[in-house]
PDB file of all heavy atoms in Angstrom:
ATOM      1  N   VAL A 312      32.288 -16.290  33.548  1.00  0.00           N
ATOM      2  CA  VAL A 312      32.456 -17.720  34.044  1.00  0.00           C
ATOM      3  C   VAL A 312      33.078 -17.717  35.368  1.00  0.00           C
ATOM      4  O   VAL A 312      32.592 -18.481  36.369  1.00  0.00           O
ATOM      5  CB  VAL A 312      33.212 -18.463  33.092  1.00  0.00           C
ATOM      6  CG1 VAL A 312      33.632 -19.786  33.614  1.00  0.00           C
ATOM      7  CG2 VAL A 312      32.561 -18.673  31.746  1.00  0.00           C
ATOM      8  N   ALA A 313      34.118 -16.943  35.649  1.00  0.00           N
ATOM      9  CA  ALA A 313      34.715 -16.892  36.911  1.00  0.00           C
ATOM     10  C   ALA A 313      33.646 -16.444  37.978  1.00  0.00           C
ATOM     11  O   ALA A 313      33.624 -17.002  39.163  1.00  0.00           O
ATOM     12  CB  ALA A 313      35.853 -15.896  36.899  1.00  0.00           C
ATOM     13  N   ALA A 314      32.909 -15.459  37.739  1.00  0.00           N
ATOM     14  CA  ALA A 314      31.847 -14.965  38.500  1.00  0.00           C
ATOM     15  C   ALA A 314      30.750 -16.091  38.948  1.00  0.00           C
ATOM     16  O   ALA A 314      30.325 -16.302  39.912  1.00  0.00           O
ATOM     17  CB  ALA A 314      31.120 -13.799  38.094  1.00  0.00           C
ATOM     18  N   ARG A 315      30.366 -16.849  37.836  1.00  0.00           N
ATOM     19  CA  ARG A 315      29.389 -17.808  38.015  1.00  0.00           C
ATOM     20  C   ARG A 315      29.935 -18.888  38.844  1.00  0.00           C
ATOM     21  O   ARG A 315      29.113 -19.405  39.800  1.00  0.00           O
ATOM     22  CB  ARG A 315      29.105 -18.433  36.563  1.00  0.00           C
ATOM     23  CG  ARG A 315      27.794 -19.264  36.482  1.00  0.00           C
ATOM     24  CD  ARG A 315      27.507 -19.597  35.032  1.00  0.00           C
ATOM     25  NE  ARG A 315      27.483 -18.398  34.186  1.00  0.00           N
ATOM     26  CZ  ARG A 315      28.188 -18.397  32.962  1.00  0.00           C
ATOM     27  NH1 ARG A 315      28.865 -19.378  32.486  1.00  0.00           N
ATOM     28  NH2 ARG A 315      28.065 -17.254  32.233  1.00  0.00           N
ATOM     29  N   GLU A 316      31.167 -19.352  38.715  1.00  0.00           N
ATOM     30  CA  GLU A 316      31.681 -20.328  39.552  1.00  0.00           C
ATOM     31  C   GLU A 316      31.853 -19.920  40.997  1.00  0.00           C
ATOM     32  O   GLU A 316      31.518 -20.562  41.963  1.00  0.00           O
ATOM     33  CB  GLU A 316      32.976 -20.923  39.077  1.00  0.00           C
ATOM     34  CG  GLU A 316      32.904 -21.624  37.700  1.00  0.00           C
ATOM     35  CD  GLU A 316      34.204 -22.392  37.403  1.00  0.00           C
ATOM     36  OE1 GLU A 316      35.187 -22.324  38.249  1.00  0.00           O
ATOM     37  OE2 GLU A 316      34.192 -23.228  36.405  1.00  0.00           O
ATOM     38  N   ALA A 317      32.405 -18.565  41.142  1.00  0.00           N
ATOM     39  CA  ALA A 317      32.517 -18.114  42.445  1.00  0.00           C
ATOM     40  C   ALA A 317      31.116 -17.940  43.246  1.00  0.00           C
ATOM     41  O   ALA A 317      31.099 -18.232  44.499  1.00  0.00           O
ATOM     42  CB  ALA A 317      33.347 -16.705  42.335  1.00  0.00           C
ATOM     43  N   SER A 318      30.195 -17.518  42.553  1.00  0.00           N
ATOM     44  CA  SER A 318      28.882 -17.506  43.068  1.00  0.00           C
ATOM     45  C   SER A 318      28.338 -18.735  43.614  1.00  0.00           C
ATOM     46  O   SER A 318      27.710 -18.716  44.624  1.00  0.00           O
ATOM     47  CB  SER A 318      27.857 -16.771  42.074  1.00  0.00           C
ATOM     48  OG  SER A 318      26.495 -16.819  42.448  1.00  0.00           O
ATOM     49  N   ALA A 319      28.591 -19.745  42.788  1.00  0.00           N
ATOM     50  CA  ALA A 319      28.129 -21.152  43.290  1.00  0.00           C
ATOM     51  C   ALA A 319      28.829 -21.513  44.598  1.00  0.00           C
ATOM     52  O   ALA A 319      28.371 -22.426  45.256  1.00  0.00           O
ATOM     53  CB  ALA A 319      28.502 -22.156  42.128  1.00  0.00           C
ATOM     54  N   ALA A 320      29.966 -20.894  44.807  1.00  0.00           N
ATOM     55  CA  ALA A 320      30.738 -21.276  46.228  1.00  0.00           C
ATOM     56  C   ALA A 320      30.447 -20.302  47.127  1.00  0.00           C
ATOM     57  O   ALA A 320      31.075 -20.323  48.329  1.00  0.00           O
ATOM     58  CB  ALA A 320      32.212 -21.193  45.818  1.00  0.00           C
ATOM     59  N   GLY A 321      29.396 -19.377  46.902  1.00  0.00           N
ATOM     60  CA  GLY A 321      28.991 -18.461  48.089  1.00  0.00           C
ATOM     61  C   GLY A 321      29.523 -17.025  48.114  1.00  0.00           C
ATOM     62  O   GLY A 321      29.344 -16.262  48.883  1.00  0.00           O
ATOM     63  N   ILE A 322      30.319 -16.704  46.933  1.00  0.00           N
ATOM     64  CA  ILE A 322      30.926 -15.424  46.976  1.00  0.00           C
ATOM     65  C   ILE A 322      30.111 -14.438  46.326  1.00  0.00           C
ATOM     66  O   ILE A 322      29.349 -14.742  45.378  1.00  0.00           O
ATOM     67  CB  ILE A 322      32.370 -15.420  46.257  1.00  0.00           C
ATOM     68  CG1 ILE A 322      33.370 -16.318  47.055  1.00  0.00           C
ATOM     69  CG2 ILE A 322      32.895 -14.126  45.933  1.00  0.00           C
ATOM     70  CD1 ILE A 322      34.670 -16.610  46.231  1.00  0.00           C
ATOM     71  N   HIS A 323      29.998 -13.235  46.882  1.00  0.00           N
ATOM     72  CA  HIS A 323      29.079 -12.167  46.365  1.00  0.00           C
ATOM     73  C   HIS A 323      29.820 -10.961  45.819  1.00  0.00           C
ATOM     74  O   HIS A 323      29.187 -10.078  45.071  1.00  0.00           O
ATOM     75  CB  HIS A 323      28.187 -11.526  47.317  1.00  0.00           C
ATOM     76  CG  HIS A 323      27.592 -12.627  48.430  1.00  0.00           C
ATOM     77  ND1 HIS A 323      27.590 -12.470  49.734  1.00  0.00           N
ATOM     78  CD2 HIS A 323      26.973 -13.776  48.177  1.00  0.00           C
ATOM     79  CE1 HIS A 323      27.176 -13.553  50.409  1.00  0.00           C
ATOM     80  NE2 HIS A 323      26.723 -14.298  49.405  1.00  0.00           N
ATOM     81  N   TRP A 324      31.083 -10.849  46.095  1.00  0.00           N
ATOM     82  CA  TRP A 324      31.866  -9.671  45.909  1.00  0.00           C
ATOM     83  C   TRP A 324      33.358 -10.103  45.443  1.00  0.00           C
ATOM     84  O   TRP A 324      34.096 -10.670  46.209  1.00  0.00           O
ATOM     85  CB  TRP A 324      31.964  -8.927  47.123  1.00  0.00           C
ATOM     86  CG  TRP A 324      32.608  -7.531  47.058  1.00  0.00           C
ATOM     87  CD1 TRP A 324      32.943  -6.703  46.013  1.00  0.00           C
ATOM     88  CD2 TRP A 324      33.280  -6.818  48.196  1.00  0.00           C
ATOM     89  NE1 TRP A 324      33.494  -5.565  46.315  1.00  0.00           N
ATOM     90  CE2 TRP A 324      33.776  -5.677  47.772  1.00  0.00           C
ATOM     91  CE3 TRP A 324      33.244  -7.157  49.562  1.00  0.00           C
ATOM     92  CZ2 TRP A 324      34.267  -4.692  48.539  1.00  0.00           C
ATOM     93  CZ3 TRP A 324      33.915  -6.267  50.413  1.00  0.00           C
ATOM     94  CH2 TRP A 324      34.428  -4.994  49.977  1.00  0.00           C
ATOM     95  N   ILE A 325      33.582  -9.819  44.115  1.00  0.00           N
ATOM     96  CA  ILE A 325      34.951 -10.190  43.516  1.00  0.00           C
ATOM     97  C   ILE A 325      35.906  -8.922  43.580  1.00  0.00           C
ATOM     98  O   ILE A 325      35.531  -7.924  43.121  1.00  0.00           O
ATOM     99  CB  ILE A 325      34.780 -10.669  42.147  1.00  0.00           C
ATOM    100  CG1 ILE A 325      34.139 -12.014  42.206  1.00  0.00           C
ATOM    101  CG2 ILE A 325      36.103 -10.700  41.364  1.00  0.00           C
ATOM    102  CD1 ILE A 325      33.975 -12.645  40.717  1.00  0.00           C
ATOM    103  N   LEU A 326      36.944  -9.149  44.238  1.00  0.00           N
ATOM    104  CA  LEU A 326      37.908  -7.916  44.385  1.00  0.00           C
ATOM    105  C   LEU A 326      38.841  -7.955  43.103  1.00  0.00           C
ATOM    106  O   LEU A 326      40.058  -8.262  43.208  1.00  0.00           O
ATOM    107  CB  LEU A 326      38.768  -8.182  45.648  1.00  0.00           C
ATOM    108  CG  LEU A 326      37.991  -8.375  46.945  1.00  0.00           C
ATOM    109  CD1 LEU A 326      38.801  -8.516  48.232  1.00  0.00           C
ATOM    110  CD2 LEU A 326      36.916  -7.155  47.138  1.00  0.00           C
ATOM    111  N   ALA A 327      38.271  -7.611  42.052  1.00  0.00           N
ATOM    112  CA  ALA A 327      38.834  -7.525  40.819  1.00  0.00           C
ATOM    113  C   ALA A 327      37.838  -6.761  39.955  1.00  0.00           C
ATOM    114  O   ALA A 327      36.640  -6.588  40.295  1.00  0.00           O
ATOM    115  CB  ALA A 327      39.086  -8.997  40.277  1.00  0.00           C
ATOM    116  N   PRO A 328      38.181  -6.188  38.663  1.00  0.00           N
ATOM    117  CA  PRO A 328      39.638  -6.465  38.151  1.00  0.00           C
ATOM    118  C   PRO A 328      40.582  -5.480  38.576  1.00  0.00           C
ATOM    119  O   PRO A 328      40.252  -4.416  39.084  1.00  0.00           O
ATOM    120  CB  PRO A 328      39.277  -6.164  36.688  1.00  0.00           C
ATOM    121  CG  PRO A 328      38.151  -5.188  36.637  1.00  0.00           C
ATOM    122  CD  PRO A 328      37.299  -5.559  37.794  1.00  0.00           C
ATOM    123  N   MET A 329      41.910  -5.797  38.442  1.00  0.00           N
ATOM    124  CA  MET A 329      42.923  -4.817  38.679  1.00  0.00           C
ATOM    125  C   MET A 329      43.133  -4.023  37.382  1.00  0.00           C
ATOM    126  O   MET A 329      43.328  -4.648  36.403  1.00  0.00           O
ATOM    127  CB  MET A 329      44.263  -5.527  38.962  1.00  0.00           C
ATOM    128  CG  MET A 329      45.390  -4.424  39.478  1.00  0.00           C
ATOM    129  SD  MET A 329      46.905  -5.179  39.630  1.00  0.00           S
ATOM    130  CE  MET A 329      47.554  -4.784  37.981  1.00  0.00           C
ATOM    131  N   VAL A 330      42.945  -2.817  37.389  1.00  0.00           N
ATOM    132  CA  VAL A 330      42.974  -1.878  36.260  1.00  0.00           C
ATOM    133  C   VAL A 330      44.188  -0.933  36.235  1.00  0.00           C
ATOM    134  O   VAL A 330      44.153   0.001  35.498  1.00  0.00           O
ATOM    135  CB  VAL A 330      41.657  -1.245  36.004  1.00  0.00           C
ATOM    136  CG1 VAL A 330      40.561  -2.124  35.944  1.00  0.00           C
ATOM    137  CG2 VAL A 330      41.353  -0.214  37.217  1.00  0.00           C
ATOM    138  N   ASP A 331      45.126  -1.220  37.144  1.00  0.00           N
ATOM    139  CA  ASP A 331      46.361  -0.293  37.191  1.00  0.00           C
ATOM    140  C   ASP A 331      47.093  -0.423  35.806  1.00  0.00           C
ATOM    141  O   ASP A 331      47.398  -1.612  35.394  1.00  0.00           O
ATOM    142  CB  ASP A 331      47.245  -0.781  38.239  1.00  0.00           C
ATOM    143  CG  ASP A 331      46.635  -0.591  39.618  1.00  0.00           C
ATOM    144  OD1 ASP A 331      46.308   0.531  39.929  1.00  0.00           O
ATOM    145  OD2 ASP A 331      46.404  -1.651  40.362  1.00  0.00           O
ATOM    146  N   ILE A 332      47.413   0.786  35.257  1.00  0.00           N
ATOM    147  CA  ILE A 332      48.437   0.732  34.166  1.00  0.00           C
ATOM    148  C   ILE A 332      49.814   0.377  34.600  1.00  0.00           C
ATOM    149  O   ILE A 332      50.267   0.940  35.665  1.00  0.00           O
ATOM    150  CB  ILE A 332      48.444   2.155  33.525  1.00  0.00           C
ATOM    151  CG1 ILE A 332      47.113   2.492  32.860  1.00  0.00           C
ATOM    152  CG2 ILE A 332      49.535   2.265  32.353  1.00  0.00           C
ATOM    153  CD1 ILE A 332      46.705   1.656  31.717  1.00  0.00           C
ATOM    154  N   ALA A 333      50.452  -0.634  33.983  1.00  0.00           N
ATOM    155  CA  ALA A 333      51.810  -0.988  34.472  1.00  0.00           C
ATOM    156  C   ALA A 333      52.844  -0.870  33.233  1.00  0.00           C
ATOM    157  O   ALA A 333      52.549  -1.609  32.269  1.00  0.00           O
ATOM    158  CB  ALA A 333      51.656  -2.366  35.060  1.00  0.00           C
ATOM    159  N   ARG A 334      53.927  -0.202  33.454  1.00  0.00           N
ATOM    160  CA  ARG A 334      54.858  -0.077  32.415  1.00  0.00           C
ATOM    161  C   ARG A 334      56.241  -0.632  32.949  1.00  0.00           C
ATOM    162  O   ARG A 334      57.233  -0.244  32.305  1.00  0.00           O
ATOM    163  CB  ARG A 334      54.887   1.452  32.040  1.00  0.00           C
ATOM    164  CG  ARG A 334      53.613   1.729  31.301  1.00  0.00           C
ATOM    165  CD  ARG A 334      53.544   3.285  30.935  1.00  0.00           C
ATOM    166  NE  ARG A 334      52.309   3.477  30.041  1.00  0.00           N
ATOM    167  CZ  ARG A 334      51.979   4.693  29.758  1.00  0.00           C
ATOM    168  NH1 ARG A 334      52.627   5.889  30.049  1.00  0.00           N
ATOM    169  NH2 ARG A 334      50.916   4.891  28.878  1.00  0.00           N
ATOM    170  N   ASP A 335      56.263  -1.315  34.101  1.00  0.00           N
ATOM    171  CA  ASP A 335      57.583  -1.686  34.525  1.00  0.00           C
ATOM    172  C   ASP A 335      57.473  -3.204  34.780  1.00  0.00           C
ATOM    173  O   ASP A 335      56.819  -3.569  35.768  1.00  0.00           O
ATOM    174  CB  ASP A 335      57.965  -0.977  35.923  1.00  0.00           C
ATOM    175  CG  ASP A 335      59.298  -1.108  36.315  1.00  0.00           C
ATOM    176  OD1 ASP A 335      59.927  -2.335  35.988  1.00  0.00           O
ATOM    177  OD2 ASP A 335      59.909  -0.392  36.963  1.00  0.00           O
ATOM    178  N   PRO A 336      57.942  -4.000  33.982  1.00  0.00           N
ATOM    179  CA  PRO A 336      57.772  -5.437  34.121  1.00  0.00           C
ATOM    180  C   PRO A 336      58.667  -6.007  35.295  1.00  0.00           C
ATOM    181  O   PRO A 336      58.430  -7.276  35.591  1.00  0.00           O
ATOM    182  CB  PRO A 336      58.239  -6.057  32.789  1.00  0.00           C
ATOM    183  CG  PRO A 336      59.145  -5.052  32.178  1.00  0.00           C
ATOM    184  CD  PRO A 336      58.621  -3.702  32.634  1.00  0.00           C
ATOM    185  N   ARG A 337      59.390  -5.224  35.827  1.00  0.00           N
ATOM    186  CA  ARG A 337      60.039  -5.856  37.067  1.00  0.00           C
ATOM    187  C   ARG A 337      58.978  -5.955  38.134  1.00  0.00           C
ATOM    188  O   ARG A 337      59.161  -6.829  39.164  1.00  0.00           O
ATOM    189  CB  ARG A 337      61.127  -4.830  37.716  1.00  0.00           C
ATOM    190  CG  ARG A 337      62.290  -4.668  36.860  1.00  0.00           C
ATOM    191  CD  ARG A 337      63.280  -3.589  37.221  1.00  0.00           C
ATOM    192  NE  ARG A 337      62.642  -2.280  37.203  1.00  0.00           N
ATOM    193  CZ  ARG A 337      63.199  -1.091  37.421  1.00  0.00           C
ATOM    194  NH1 ARG A 337      64.382  -1.157  37.959  1.00  0.00           N
ATOM    195  NH2 ARG A 337      62.625   0.015  37.343  1.00  0.00           N
ATOM    196  N   TRP A 338      57.928  -5.261  38.112  1.00  0.00           N
ATOM    197  CA  TRP A 338      56.892  -5.247  39.102  1.00  0.00           C
ATOM    198  C   TRP A 338      56.115  -6.511  38.945  1.00  0.00           C
ATOM    199  O   TRP A 338      55.498  -6.864  37.846  1.00  0.00           O
ATOM    200  CB  TRP A 338      55.939  -4.019  39.050  1.00  0.00           C
ATOM    201  CG  TRP A 338      54.822  -3.839  39.942  1.00  0.00           C
ATOM    202  CD1 TRP A 338      55.087  -3.911  41.455  1.00  0.00           C
ATOM    203  CD2 TRP A 338      53.504  -3.659  39.740  1.00  0.00           C
ATOM    204  NE1 TRP A 338      53.786  -3.648  41.971  1.00  0.00           N
ATOM    205  CE2 TRP A 338      52.774  -3.501  41.008  1.00  0.00           C
ATOM    206  CE3 TRP A 338      52.697  -3.483  38.622  1.00  0.00           C
ATOM    207  CZ2 TRP A 338      51.514  -3.257  41.077  1.00  0.00           C
ATOM    208  CZ3 TRP A 338      51.359  -3.168  38.610  1.00  0.00           C
ATOM    209  CH2 TRP A 338      50.701  -3.144  39.977  1.00  0.00           C
ATOM    210  N   GLY A 339      55.926  -7.250  40.040  1.00  0.00           N
ATOM    211  CA  GLY A 339      55.250  -8.678  39.910  1.00  0.00           C
ATOM    212  C   GLY A 339      53.809  -8.702  39.439  1.00  0.00           C
ATOM    213  O   GLY A 339      53.293  -9.584  38.831  1.00  0.00           O
ATOM    214  N   ARG A 340      53.103  -7.539  39.895  1.00  0.00           N
ATOM    215  CA  ARG A 340      51.749  -7.542  39.756  1.00  0.00           C
ATOM    216  C   ARG A 340      51.343  -7.011  38.347  1.00  0.00           C
ATOM    217  O   ARG A 340      50.261  -6.845  37.999  1.00  0.00           O
ATOM    218  CB  ARG A 340      51.053  -6.650  40.697  1.00  0.00           C
ATOM    219  CG  ARG A 340      51.238  -7.212  42.176  1.00  0.00           C
ATOM    220  CD  ARG A 340      50.401  -6.567  43.285  1.00  0.00           C
ATOM    221  NE  ARG A 340      48.984  -7.148  43.208  1.00  0.00           N
ATOM    222  CZ  ARG A 340      48.112  -7.053  44.270  1.00  0.00           C
ATOM    223  NH1 ARG A 340      48.488  -6.252  45.164  1.00  0.00           N
ATOM    224  NH2 ARG A 340      46.918  -7.503  44.162  1.00  0.00           N
ATOM    225  N   VAL A 341      52.373  -6.891  37.427  1.00  0.00           N
ATOM    226  CA  VAL A 341      52.102  -6.560  36.034  1.00  0.00           C
ATOM    227  C   VAL A 341      51.246  -7.703  35.413  1.00  0.00           C
ATOM    228  O   VAL A 341      50.491  -7.558  34.519  1.00  0.00           O
ATOM    229  CB  VAL A 341      53.418  -6.409  35.238  1.00  0.00           C
ATOM    230  CG1 VAL A 341      54.140  -7.631  35.081  1.00  0.00           C
ATOM    231  CG2 VAL A 341      53.186  -5.782  33.866  1.00  0.00           C
ATOM    232  N   ALA A 342      51.385  -8.999  35.994  1.00  0.00           N
ATOM    233  CA  ALA A 342      50.688 -10.121  35.593  1.00  0.00           C
ATOM    234  C   ALA A 342      49.062  -9.915  35.665  1.00  0.00           C
ATOM    235  O   ALA A 342      48.425 -10.506  35.035  1.00  0.00           O
ATOM    236  CB  ALA A 342      51.051 -11.325  36.343  1.00  0.00           C
ATOM    237  N   GLU A 343      48.678  -9.067  36.692  1.00  0.00           N
ATOM    238  CA  GLU A 343      47.284  -9.029  37.007  1.00  0.00           C
ATOM    239  C   GLU A 343      46.666  -7.958  36.183  1.00  0.00           C
ATOM    240  O   GLU A 343      45.233  -7.792  36.338  1.00  0.00           O
ATOM    241  CB  GLU A 343      47.134  -8.531  38.444  1.00  0.00           C
ATOM    242  CG  GLU A 343      47.390  -9.584  39.328  1.00  0.00           C
ATOM    243  CD  GLU A 343      47.250  -9.149  40.842  1.00  0.00           C
ATOM    244  OE1 GLU A 343      46.214  -8.747  41.195  1.00  0.00           O
ATOM    245  OE2 GLU A 343      48.354  -9.186  41.601  1.00  0.00           O
ATOM    246  N   GLY A 344      47.123  -7.107  35.371  1.00  0.00           N
ATOM    247  CA  GLY A 344      46.660  -5.991  34.710  1.00  0.00           C
ATOM    248  C   GLY A 344      46.506  -6.275  33.288  1.00  0.00           C
ATOM    249  O   GLY A 344      46.834  -7.325  32.672  1.00  0.00           O
ATOM    250  N   ALA A 345      46.152  -5.090  32.486  1.00  0.00           N
ATOM    251  CA  ALA A 345      46.045  -5.194  31.126  1.00  0.00           C
ATOM    252  C   ALA A 345      47.238  -4.587  30.273  1.00  0.00           C
ATOM    253  O   ALA A 345      47.107  -4.379  29.078  1.00  0.00           O
ATOM    254  CB  ALA A 345      44.641  -4.439  30.743  1.00  0.00           C
ATOM    255  N   GLY A 346      48.238  -4.232  31.057  1.00  0.00           N
ATOM    256  CA  GLY A 346      49.422  -3.804  30.304  1.00  0.00           C
ATOM    257  C   GLY A 346      49.653  -2.269  30.480  1.00  0.00           C
ATOM    258  O   GLY A 346      49.218  -1.529  31.460  1.00  0.00           O
ATOM    259  N   GLU A 347      50.251  -1.716  29.301  1.00  0.00           N
ATOM    260  CA  GLU A 347      50.747  -0.298  29.375  1.00  0.00           C
ATOM    261  C   GLU A 347      49.771   0.754  28.851  1.00  0.00           C
ATOM    262  O   GLU A 347      50.063   1.972  29.014  1.00  0.00           O
ATOM    263  CB  GLU A 347      52.022  -0.218  28.657  1.00  0.00           C
ATOM    264  CG  GLU A 347      51.998  -0.344  27.166  1.00  0.00           C
ATOM    265  CD  GLU A 347      53.328  -0.314  26.495  1.00  0.00           C
ATOM    266  OE1 GLU A 347      54.284  -1.211  26.977  1.00  0.00           O
ATOM    267  OE2 GLU A 347      53.576   0.428  25.603  1.00  0.00           O
ATOM    268  N   ASP A 348      48.905   0.275  28.003  1.00  0.00           N
ATOM    269  CA  ASP A 348      48.016   1.383  27.238  1.00  0.00           C
ATOM    270  C   ASP A 348      46.796   1.689  27.914  1.00  0.00           C
ATOM    271  O   ASP A 348      45.901   0.803  28.377  1.00  0.00           O
ATOM    272  CB  ASP A 348      47.844   0.873  25.877  1.00  0.00           C
ATOM    273  CG  ASP A 348      47.127   1.947  25.068  1.00  0.00           C
ATOM    274  OD1 ASP A 348      47.790   2.883  24.714  1.00  0.00           O
ATOM    275  OD2 ASP A 348      45.855   1.672  24.735  1.00  0.00           O
ATOM    276  N   VAL A 349      46.438   2.930  27.829  1.00  0.00           N
ATOM    277  CA  VAL A 349      45.210   3.432  28.494  1.00  0.00           C
ATOM    278  C   VAL A 349      43.908   3.122  27.639  1.00  0.00           C
ATOM    279  O   VAL A 349      43.025   2.542  28.336  1.00  0.00           O
ATOM    280  CB  VAL A 349      45.349   5.077  28.335  1.00  0.00           C
ATOM    281  CG1 VAL A 349      44.032   5.707  29.093  1.00  0.00           C
ATOM    282  CG2 VAL A 349      46.620   5.597  29.124  1.00  0.00           C
ATOM    283  N   TRP A 350      43.970   3.216  26.446  1.00  0.00           N
ATOM    284  CA  TRP A 350      42.752   2.867  25.586  1.00  0.00           C
ATOM    285  C   TRP A 350      42.402   1.405  25.730  1.00  0.00           C
ATOM    286  O   TRP A 350      41.238   1.014  26.027  1.00  0.00           O
ATOM    287  CB  TRP A 350      42.962   3.256  24.049  1.00  0.00           C
ATOM    288  CG  TRP A 350      41.747   3.096  23.316  1.00  0.00           C
ATOM    289  CD1 TRP A 350      41.288   2.035  22.542  1.00  0.00           C
ATOM    290  CD2 TRP A 350      40.863   4.194  23.005  1.00  0.00           C
ATOM    291  NE1 TRP A 350      40.278   2.304  21.972  1.00  0.00           N
ATOM    292  CE2 TRP A 350      39.812   3.506  22.067  1.00  0.00           C
ATOM    293  CE3 TRP A 350      40.690   5.454  23.328  1.00  0.00           C
ATOM    294  CZ2 TRP A 350      38.784   4.323  21.678  1.00  0.00           C
ATOM    295  CZ3 TRP A 350      39.646   6.172  22.949  1.00  0.00           C
ATOM    296  CH2 TRP A 350      38.671   5.676  22.038  1.00  0.00           C
ATOM    297  N   LEU A 351      43.361   0.580  25.550  1.00  0.00           N
ATOM    298  CA  LEU A 351      43.190  -0.943  25.762  1.00  0.00           C
ATOM    299  C   LEU A 351      42.739  -1.355  27.149  1.00  0.00           C
ATOM    300  O   LEU A 351      41.848  -2.012  27.289  1.00  0.00           O
ATOM    301  CB  LEU A 351      44.474  -1.683  25.306  1.00  0.00           C
ATOM    302  CG  LEU A 351      44.318  -3.161  25.405  1.00  0.00           C
ATOM    303  CD1 LEU A 351      43.231  -3.819  24.503  1.00  0.00           C
ATOM    304  CD2 LEU A 351      45.669  -3.836  24.972  1.00  0.00           C
ATOM    305  N   ALA A 352      43.422  -0.697  28.206  1.00  0.00           N
ATOM    306  CA  ALA A 352      43.139  -1.052  29.515  1.00  0.00           C
ATOM    307  C   ALA A 352      41.758  -0.611  29.787  1.00  0.00           C
ATOM    308  O   ALA A 352      40.979  -1.403  30.600  1.00  0.00           O
ATOM    309  CB  ALA A 352      44.140  -0.473  30.417  1.00  0.00           C
ATOM    310  N   ALA A 353      41.228   0.489  29.387  1.00  0.00           N
ATOM    311  CA  ALA A 353      39.902   0.967  29.611  1.00  0.00           C
ATOM    312  C   ALA A 353      38.829   0.023  28.981  1.00  0.00           C
ATOM    313  O   ALA A 353      37.843  -0.286  29.651  1.00  0.00           O
ATOM    314  CB  ALA A 353      39.727   2.448  29.137  1.00  0.00           C
ATOM    315  N   ALA A 354      39.176  -0.338  27.818  1.00  0.00           N
ATOM    316  CA  ALA A 354      38.332  -1.311  27.057  1.00  0.00           C
ATOM    317  C   ALA A 354      38.141  -2.599  27.892  1.00  0.00           C
ATOM    318  O   ALA A 354      36.976  -3.169  28.149  1.00  0.00           O
ATOM    319  CB  ALA A 354      38.624  -1.540  25.654  1.00  0.00           C
ATOM    320  N   ILE A 355      39.243  -3.135  28.398  1.00  0.00           N
ATOM    321  CA  ILE A 355      39.250  -4.307  29.132  1.00  0.00           C
ATOM    322  C   ILE A 355      38.562  -4.267  30.555  1.00  0.00           C
ATOM    323  O   ILE A 355      37.872  -5.091  30.944  1.00  0.00           O
ATOM    324  CB  ILE A 355      40.708  -4.844  29.148  1.00  0.00           C
ATOM    325  CG1 ILE A 355      41.203  -5.352  27.850  1.00  0.00           C
ATOM    326  CG2 ILE A 355      40.856  -6.011  30.216  1.00  0.00           C
ATOM    327  CD1 ILE A 355      42.683  -5.780  27.872  1.00  0.00           C
ATOM    328  N   ALA A 356      38.794  -3.040  31.122  1.00  0.00           N
ATOM    329  CA  ALA A 356      38.077  -2.790  32.399  1.00  0.00           C
ATOM    330  C   ALA A 356      36.650  -2.864  32.221  1.00  0.00           C
ATOM    331  O   ALA A 356      35.884  -3.465  33.091  1.00  0.00           O
ATOM    332  CB  ALA A 356      38.544  -1.439  32.911  1.00  0.00           C
TER     333      ALA A 356
END
């Protein structure tokens, strides 16, 4: 859905997903990823 809407606005290249494993919630960009686990993060990627 995000790609469909972005495409309608003329975007061709989405700079996502963020697939970094993050295990330190002090880091603000933990919000952008799939969390701490390898198996789950790979499936979500």
Side-chain angles (χ1 to χ4, degrees):
V312 168
R315 197 175 302 133
E316 290 194 356
S318 173
I322 292 171
H323 321 131
W324 183 24
I325 286 181
L326 304 182
M329 191 190 91
V330 300
D331 297 295
I332 298 292
R334 294 173 171 177
D335 190 335
R337 293 173 297 180
W338 188 50
R340 298 192 82 166
V341 70
E343 291 179 54
E347 71 183 50
D348 181 71
V349 183
W350 188 271
L351 178 61
I355 290 174

